[in-house]
Amino acid sequence: NWSYRFQTILSVLRDFDFFTHTHVKAQIYSSMSNLAADFVKAACTYGKIIISEGSLPTHEKTIRPVEIGGIAGGEKYIVQNILFKFAVDVNQIMDGEYGAIKVAGNEIKALTAYFNCGLSELNLPLMALVDYMGFRIIAI
């Protein structure tokens, strides 16, 4: 589970202090780096498939959309415990695809702003944006 691994590593990072040994810090930072790299690789791999098959009928798609509610996030997919939100304006509420892409970009900006507040009580997910063939997908 991506989120569990992220929260576990993050909690260890938050407990670092002046006396934490350098080799412990290096090991935990390496774990975080590896997790992030694995997440981005999975997000890019599956995101590109979802985008490439975006114009196909649902029954022909390798990865099929799921109904999990909400109308503003575009089509949603779940693969390898990653939620993908395809930034398309399927409900025509964002003034077209450009608006949907801008909203997706603002989601990661908002997540970054919350993360930078340093609130240990607030658990935030890993997130990545995948831009491919003129489309954008959010991986959470």
Side-chain angles (χ1 to χ4, degrees), residues 22-55:
T22 304
H23 73 278
V24 172
K25 289 180 180 179
Q27 184 179 27
I28 297 303
Y29 285 127
S30 177
S31 295
M32 181 63 86
S33 178
N34 291 338
L35 175 65
D38 291 347
F39 183 80
V40 168
K41 182 173 175 88
C44 287
T45 299
Y46 296 113
K48 287 178 179 180
I49 292 169
I50 293 167
I51 290 170
S52 295
E53 297 178 348
S55 63

Side-chain angles (χ1 to χ4, degrees), residues 6-100:
F6 179 61
Q7 297 307 324
T8 301
I9 295 169
L10 199 55
S11 70
V12 174
L13 285 172
R14 287 180 176 146
D15 288 340
F16 282 176
D17 60 20
F18 179 77
F19 300 105
T20 304
H21 292 283
T22 304
H23 73 278
V24 172
K25 289 180 180 179
Q27 184 179 27
I28 297 303
Y29 285 127
S30 177
S31 295
M32 181 63 86
S33 178
N34 291 338
L35 175 65
D38 291 347
F39 183 80
V40 168
K41 182 173 175 88
C44 287
T45 299
Y46 296 113
K48 287 178 179 180
I49 292 169
I50 293 167
I51 290 170
S52 295
E53 297 178 348
S55 63
L56 293 177
T58 301
H59 70 278
E60 292 182 19
K61 293 182 179 186
T62 306
I63 303 167
R64 294 193 173 104
V66 294
E67 295 292 328
I68 58 172
I71 59 170
E75 291 183 331
K76 293 157 183 87
Y77 301 79
I78 297 176
V79 187
Q80 296 291 318
N81 290 319
I82 301 174
L83 170 65
F84 290 90
K85 298 188 329 181
F86 196 173
V88 291
D89 192 13
V90 293
N91 294 304
Q92 299 176 342
I93 59 172
M94 294 183 205
D95 199 27
E97 307 309 328
Y98 179 75

